[in-house]
Amino acid sequence: MPPTALEEAQRGSRPPAKLRTEEFRLGRPEIVGPDAPEPPFPIALEGKVQRGFGRGGKDLGCPTANLPDESTTAMSSVTKTGIYYGYAQVIPPKDEPTQLRRVDTKVLPMVMSLGWNEFYKNKRLTAEIHIMHKFESDFYGYEMKAIVLGYIRPEFDYISREALIEDIEFDKRVALNCLQRPAYQEYSKDPFFVLDGNL
């Protein structure tokens, strides 16, 4: 069995990510995984959104929310690095003014990277969530809840930023397709989230 992401991080050394090949891009399926989540999924994560490197939105057109290291152990201890999909929700502080709209606080589809971001040569393991929704304001310091439901692909290194962006956009489509399946849609109403009327 391959080492988990956490085991790799604890060793302080990690195998180099494979360079993404053209053959991989051409052979990618538009939907992955079984018709219902299988162990170790679902995996529930929560924590306050932290400032990351600021590259997702600026460099890649894919803004991400970083969860604190300690909040991702539930996932990194049972999975390998790679790209995942599921649902996430941003929860504003109660009784405090917020610029978030009601639609911003709904349970929304997400894609998640758990890994080292080889293209940028990160020094530590990170968990970055991209919620597939257009936010008009940031939400640093706000609570985020996420349920990870499936695995899309391994983490790769890239010869160009354009190739990375191309895969990110494909990952988003795969995630949305996967979440259309009824057994996955059920998790958008999971009591782990703060459902309508309780925010």
Short mmCIF file of all heavy atoms in Angstrom, two decimals, residues 6-48:
data_model
loop_
_atom_site.label_atom_id
_atom_site.label_comp_id
_atom_site.label_asym_id
_atom_site.label_seq_id
_atom_site.Cartn_x
_atom_site.Cartn_y
_atom_site.Cartn_z
N LEU A 6 0.23 12.05 4.92
CA LEU A 6 0.80 12.39 6.21
C LEU A 6 2.10 11.64 6.45
O LEU A 6 3.08 12.21 6.94
CB LEU A 6 -0.21 12.09 7.33
CG LEU A 6 0.23 12.46 8.75
CD1 LEU A 6 0.50 13.95 8.87
CD2 LEU A 6 -0.81 12.02 9.77
N GLU A 7 2.14 10.36 6.10
CA GLU A 7 3.37 9.59 6.26
C GLU A 7 4.50 10.18 5.44
O GLU A 7 5.64 10.28 5.91
CB GLU A 7 3.12 8.13 5.86
CG GLU A 7 2.28 7.36 6.87
CD GLU A 7 1.81 6.01 6.36
OE1 GLU A 7 1.83 5.79 5.12
OE2 GLU A 7 1.42 5.19 7.19
N GLU A 8 4.20 10.61 4.23
CA GLU A 8 5.22 11.25 3.39
C GLU A 8 5.73 12.53 4.06
O GLU A 8 6.93 12.79 4.10
CB GLU A 8 4.66 11.57 2.01
CG GLU A 8 4.47 10.37 1.12
CD GLU A 8 3.93 10.74 -0.25
OE1 GLU A 8 3.55 11.91 -0.45
OE2 GLU A 8 3.91 9.86 -1.11
N ALA A 9 4.79 13.32 4.58
CA ALA A 9 5.17 14.59 5.21
C ALA A 9 6.02 14.34 6.46
O ALA A 9 6.99 15.06 6.72
CB ALA A 9 3.93 15.40 5.56
N GLN A 10 5.67 13.32 7.25
CA GLN A 10 6.40 13.04 8.48
C GLN A 10 7.82 12.54 8.19
O GLN A 10 8.72 12.76 8.98
CB GLN A 10 5.63 12.01 9.32
CG GLN A 10 4.38 12.60 9.96
CD GLN A 10 3.50 11.55 10.59
OE1 GLN A 10 3.53 10.36 10.26
NE2 GLN A 10 2.67 11.99 11.53
N ARG A 11 8.00 11.86 7.07
CA ARG A 11 9.33 11.39 6.69
C ARG A 11 10.25 12.53 6.28
O ARG A 11 11.46 12.39 6.27
CB ARG A 11 9.23 10.41 5.51
CG ARG A 11 8.67 9.07 5.89
CD ARG A 11 8.59 8.21 4.66
NE ARG A 11 7.85 6.99 4.94
CZ ARG A 11 7.33 6.21 4.02
NH1 ARG A 11 7.45 6.52 2.75
NH2 ARG A 11 6.69 5.12 4.35
N GLY A 12 9.66 13.64 5.89
CA GLY A 12 10.45 14.79 5.46
C GLY A 12 10.99 14.64 4.05
O GLY A 12 11.70 15.50 3.57
N SER A 13 10.69 13.54 3.43
CA SER A 13 11.09 13.36 2.03
C SER A 13 9.90 12.79 1.29
O SER A 13 9.13 12.02 1.83
CB SER A 13 12.28 12.42 1.93
OG SER A 13 11.92 11.14 2.41
N ARG A 14 9.78 13.17 0.06
CA ARG A 14 8.66 12.70 -0.72
C ARG A 14 9.15 12.31 -2.11
O ARG A 14 10.10 12.91 -2.61
CB ARG A 14 7.57 13.76 -0.83
CG ARG A 14 8.04 15.04 -1.51
CD ARG A 14 6.97 16.12 -1.39
NE ARG A 14 7.22 17.24 -2.24
CZ ARG A 14 7.92 18.31 -1.89
NH1 ARG A 14 8.44 18.38 -0.69
NH2 ARG A 14 8.09 19.32 -2.72
N PRO A 15 8.52 11.32 -2.70
CA PRO A 15 8.94 10.98 -4.06
C PRO A 15 8.61 12.11 -5.01
O PRO A 15 7.59 12.80 -4.84
CB PRO A 15 8.10 9.72 -4.37
CG PRO A 15 6.95 9.78 -3.44
CD PRO A 15 7.42 10.51 -2.22
N PRO A 16 9.45 12.38 -5.99
CA PRO A 16 9.14 13.46 -6.92
C PRO A 16 7.86 13.17 -7.68
O PRO A 16 7.60 12.03 -8.07
CB PRO A 16 10.35 13.49 -7.86
CG PRO A 16 11.00 12.17 -7.69
CD PRO A 16 10.69 11.69 -6.32
N ALA A 17 7.04 14.19 -7.87
CA ALA A 17 5.80 14.02 -8.62
C ALA A 17 6.13 13.71 -10.07
O ALA A 17 7.09 14.24 -10.63
CB ALA A 17 4.95 15.29 -8.53
N LYS A 18 5.33 12.85 -10.67
CA LYS A 18 5.52 12.53 -12.08
C LYS A 18 5.17 13.75 -12.92
O LYS A 18 4.25 14.50 -12.60
CB LYS A 18 4.63 11.37 -12.47
CG LYS A 18 4.99 10.07 -11.81
CD LYS A 18 4.01 8.99 -12.22
CE LYS A 18 4.31 7.71 -11.46
NZ LYS A 18 3.28 6.69 -11.68
N LEU A 19 5.89 13.91 -14.00
CA LEU A 19 5.57 14.98 -14.95
C LEU A 19 4.33 14.58 -15.73
O LEU A 19 4.23 13.46 -16.22
CB LEU A 19 6.75 15.19 -15.89
CG LEU A 19 6.72 16.48 -16.72
CD1 LEU A 19 6.81 17.69 -15.84
CD2 LEU A 19 7.86 16.47 -17.72
N ARG A 20 3.38 15.46 -15.79
CA ARG A 20 2.12 15.16 -16.50
C ARG A 20 2.41 15.02 -17.99
O ARG A 20 3.05 15.86 -18.58
CB ARG A 20 1.10 16.26 -16.24
CG ARG A 20 -0.31 15.87 -16.63
CD ARG A 20 -0.61 16.24 -18.06
NE ARG A 20 -1.46 17.41 -18.13
CZ ARG A 20 -1.48 18.25 -19.12
NH1 ARG A 20 -0.67 18.11 -20.14
NH2 ARG A 20 -2.29 19.28 -19.13
N THR A 21 1.95 13.94 -18.57
CA THR A 21 2.20 13.67 -19.99
C THR A 21 1.00 14.04 -20.83
O THR A 21 -0.13 14.14 -20.35
CB THR A 21 2.50 12.18 -20.21
OG1 THR A 21 1.33 11.43 -19.85
CG2 THR A 21 3.69 11.72 -19.38
N GLU A 22 1.23 14.22 -22.10
CA GLU A 22 0.16 14.50 -23.05
C GLU A 22 -0.81 13.33 -23.13
O GLU A 22 -2.02 13.50 -23.27
CB GLU A 22 0.75 14.79 -24.44
CG GLU A 22 -0.26 15.33 -25.45
CD GLU A 22 -0.79 16.70 -25.08
OE1 GLU A 22 -0.22 17.37 -24.21
OE2 GLU A 22 -1.80 17.10 -25.68
N GLU A 23 -0.29 12.10 -22.98
CA GLU A 23 -1.16 10.92 -23.02
C GLU A 23 -2.17 10.94 -21.88
O GLU A 23 -3.32 10.54 -22.05
CB GLU A 23 -0.31 9.64 -22.94
CG GLU A 23 0.49 9.36 -24.19
CD GLU A 23 1.75 10.22 -24.29
OE1 GLU A 23 2.20 10.77 -23.26
OE2 GLU A 23 2.27 10.38 -25.41
N PHE A 24 -1.73 11.40 -20.71
CA PHE A 24 -2.67 11.50 -19.58
C PHE A 24 -3.80 12.47 -19.90
O PHE A 24 -4.96 12.18 -19.68
CB PHE A 24 -1.93 11.95 -18.32
CG PHE A 24 -2.87 12.25 -17.17
CD1 PHE A 24 -3.38 11.23 -16.39
CD2 PHE A 24 -3.26 13.56 -16.88
CE1 PHE A 24 -4.26 11.50 -15.36
CE2 PHE A 24 -4.13 13.84 -15.85
CZ PHE A 24 -4.63 12.80 -15.08
N ARG A 25 -3.45 13.61 -20.45
CA ARG A 25 -4.48 14.62 -20.76
C ARG A 25 -5.50 14.07 -21.76
O ARG A 25 -6.70 14.25 -21.58
CB ARG A 25 -3.83 15.88 -21.33
CG ARG A 25 -4.83 17.01 -21.59
CD ARG A 25 -4.18 18.17 -22.28
NE ARG A 25 -3.84 17.90 -23.66
CZ ARG A 25 -4.73 17.93 -24.67
NH1 ARG A 25 -5.98 18.22 -24.46
NH2 ARG A 25 -4.34 17.68 -25.91
N LEU A 26 -5.03 13.39 -22.77
CA LEU A 26 -5.93 12.90 -23.82
C LEU A 26 -6.80 11.75 -23.33
O LEU A 26 -7.89 11.54 -23.85
CB LEU A 26 -5.11 12.45 -25.03
CG LEU A 26 -4.36 13.56 -25.76
CD1 LEU A 26 -3.45 12.98 -26.83
CD2 LEU A 26 -5.32 14.57 -26.36
N GLY A 27 -6.33 11.03 -22.31
CA GLY A 27 -7.10 9.87 -21.84
C GLY A 27 -7.94 10.11 -20.62
O GLY A 27 -8.45 9.17 -20.02
N ARG A 28 -8.11 11.37 -20.22
CA ARG A 28 -8.83 11.65 -18.97
C ARG A 28 -10.33 11.41 -19.09
O ARG A 28 -10.97 11.93 -20.01
CB ARG A 28 -8.60 13.10 -18.53
CG ARG A 28 -7.19 13.38 -18.10
CD ARG A 28 -7.11 14.67 -17.31
NE ARG A 28 -7.81 14.53 -16.04
CZ ARG A 28 -7.96 15.53 -15.17
NH1 ARG A 28 -7.47 16.72 -15.44
NH2 ARG A 28 -8.61 15.35 -14.05
N PRO A 29 -10.93 10.66 -18.16
CA PRO A 29 -12.38 10.49 -18.17
C PRO A 29 -13.08 11.72 -17.58
O PRO A 29 -12.50 12.44 -16.77
CB PRO A 29 -12.60 9.27 -17.27
CG PRO A 29 -11.43 9.28 -16.34
CD PRO A 29 -10.27 9.87 -17.12
N GLU A 30 -14.32 11.94 -17.98
CA GLU A 30 -15.09 13.10 -17.50
C GLU A 30 -15.81 12.81 -16.19
O GLU A 30 -16.38 13.70 -15.57
CB GLU A 30 -16.09 13.55 -18.56
CG GLU A 30 -15.43 13.98 -19.86
CD GLU A 30 -15.61 15.46 -20.14
OE1 GLU A 30 -16.46 16.10 -19.53
OE2 GLU A 30 -14.85 15.96 -20.99
N ILE A 31 -15.80 11.54 -15.77
CA ILE A 31 -16.39 11.16 -14.48
C ILE A 31 -15.54 10.03 -13.91
O ILE A 31 -15.04 9.19 -14.66
CB ILE A 31 -17.88 10.76 -14.66
CG1 ILE A 31 -18.57 10.63 -13.31
CG2 ILE A 31 -18.03 9.49 -15.47
CD1 ILE A 31 -20.08 10.62 -13.39
N VAL A 32 -15.31 10.05 -12.60
CA VAL A 32 -14.42 9.07 -11.97
C VAL A 32 -15.08 8.49 -10.73
O VAL A 32 -16.00 9.06 -10.16
CB VAL A 32 -13.06 9.72 -11.59
CG1 VAL A 32 -12.29 10.16 -12.82
CG2 VAL A 32 -13.26 10.89 -10.63
N GLY A 33 -14.57 7.34 -10.32
CA GLY A 33 -15.00 6.74 -9.07
C GLY A 33 -16.32 5.99 -9.16
O GLY A 33 -17.00 6.02 -10.19
N PRO A 34 -16.69 5.32 -8.07
CA PRO A 34 -17.91 4.53 -8.03
C PRO A 34 -19.16 5.41 -7.97
O PRO A 34 -19.06 6.63 -7.79
CB PRO A 34 -17.76 3.71 -6.75
CG PRO A 34 -16.89 4.57 -5.87
CD PRO A 34 -15.94 5.28 -6.81
N ASP A 35 -20.33 4.80 -8.08
CA ASP A 35 -21.60 5.55 -8.06
C ASP A 35 -21.99 6.03 -6.68
O ASP A 35 -22.95 6.79 -6.53
CB ASP A 35 -22.72 4.70 -8.66
CG ASP A 35 -22.60 4.58 -10.18
OD1 ASP A 35 -21.97 5.47 -10.79
OD2 ASP A 35 -23.13 3.61 -10.74
N ALA A 36 -21.29 5.59 -5.65
CA ALA A 36 -21.50 6.07 -4.28
C ALA A 36 -20.14 6.10 -3.59
O ALA A 36 -19.26 5.30 -3.92
CB ALA A 36 -22.46 5.14 -3.54
N PRO A 37 -19.94 7.04 -2.65
CA PRO A 37 -18.64 7.12 -1.98
C PRO A 37 -18.29 5.80 -1.28
O PRO A 37 -19.16 5.15 -0.70
CB PRO A 37 -18.84 8.24 -0.95
CG PRO A 37 -19.95 9.07 -1.50
CD PRO A 37 -20.86 8.10 -2.20
N GLU A 38 -17.02 5.43 -1.38
CA GLU A 38 -16.52 4.23 -0.71
C GLU A 38 -15.38 4.62 0.21
O GLU A 38 -14.70 5.62 -0.02
CB GLU A 38 -16.03 3.22 -1.76
CG GLU A 38 -17.15 2.66 -2.62
CD GLU A 38 -16.65 1.67 -3.66
OE1 GLU A 38 -15.41 1.51 -3.82
OE2 GLU A 38 -17.51 1.07 -4.33
N PRO A 39 -15.14 3.85 1.30
CA PRO A 39 -14.07 4.19 2.24
C PRO A 39 -12.75 4.46 1.52
O PRO A 39 -12.44 3.79 0.53
CB PRO A 39 -13.97 2.92 3.12
CG PRO A 39 -15.34 2.33 3.06
CD PRO A 39 -15.84 2.63 1.67
N PRO A 40 -12.00 5.50 1.96
CA PRO A 40 -12.16 6.20 3.24
C PRO A 40 -13.15 7.37 3.20
O PRO A 40 -13.22 8.14 4.16
CB PRO A 40 -10.75 6.73 3.50
CG PRO A 40 -10.23 7.03 2.12
CD PRO A 40 -10.80 5.94 1.24
N PHE A 41 -13.88 7.52 2.12
CA PHE A 41 -14.82 8.62 2.00
C PHE A 41 -16.18 8.21 2.57
O PHE A 41 -16.54 7.04 2.51
CB PHE A 41 -14.96 9.03 0.52
CG PHE A 41 -13.64 9.30 -0.12
CD1 PHE A 41 -13.10 8.39 -1.02
CD2 PHE A 41 -12.90 10.42 0.21
CE1 PHE A 41 -11.86 8.61 -1.60
CE2 PHE A 41 -11.66 10.65 -0.37
CZ PHE A 41 -11.14 9.74 -1.27
N PRO A 42 -16.94 9.18 3.08
CA PRO A 42 -16.67 10.63 3.15
C PRO A 42 -15.70 10.98 4.27
O PRO A 42 -15.63 10.30 5.29
CB PRO A 42 -18.06 11.22 3.45
CG PRO A 42 -18.74 10.14 4.25
CD PRO A 42 -18.25 8.84 3.67
N ILE A 43 -14.97 12.07 4.05
CA ILE A 43 -14.05 12.60 5.06
C ILE A 43 -14.47 14.04 5.37
O ILE A 43 -14.53 14.87 4.46
CB ILE A 43 -12.59 12.59 4.56
CG1 ILE A 43 -12.15 11.16 4.21
CG2 ILE A 43 -11.66 13.20 5.61
CD1 ILE A 43 -10.81 11.09 3.49
N ALA A 44 -14.76 14.31 6.63
CA ALA A 44 -15.20 15.65 7.04
C ALA A 44 -14.01 16.45 7.54
O ALA A 44 -13.19 15.96 8.33
CB ALA A 44 -16.26 15.54 8.13
N LEU A 45 -13.90 17.70 7.07
CA LEU A 45 -12.83 18.62 7.48
C LEU A 45 -13.44 19.94 7.92
O LEU A 45 -14.45 20.37 7.36
CB LEU A 45 -11.88 18.88 6.31
CG LEU A 45 -11.24 17.69 5.60
CD1 LEU A 45 -10.47 18.17 4.38
CD2 LEU A 45 -10.34 16.92 6.54
N GLU A 46 -12.83 20.60 8.86
CA GLU A 46 -13.26 21.95 9.22
C GLU A 46 -12.13 22.71 9.87
O GLU A 46 -11.24 22.13 10.48
CB GLU A 46 -14.49 21.92 10.13
CG GLU A 46 -14.33 21.22 11.45
CD GLU A 46 -15.65 21.16 12.21
OE1 GLU A 46 -16.37 22.18 12.24
OE2 GLU A 46 -15.94 20.10 12.79
N GLY A 47 -12.17 24.02 9.70
CA GLY A 47 -11.16 24.88 10.29
C GLY A 47 -11.31 26.29 9.76
O GLY A 47 -12.09 26.56 8.86
N LYS A 48 -10.54 27.21 10.33
CA LYS A 48 -10.59 28.60 9.90
C LYS A 48 -9.72 28.79 8.65
O LYS A 48 -8.60 28.28 8.58
CB LYS A 48 -10.12 29.53 11.02
CG LYS A 48 -11.10 29.61 12.19
CD LYS A 48 -10.73 30.72 13.13
CE LYS A 48 -11.66 30.77 14.34
NZ LYS A 48 -13.03 31.04 13.98
#
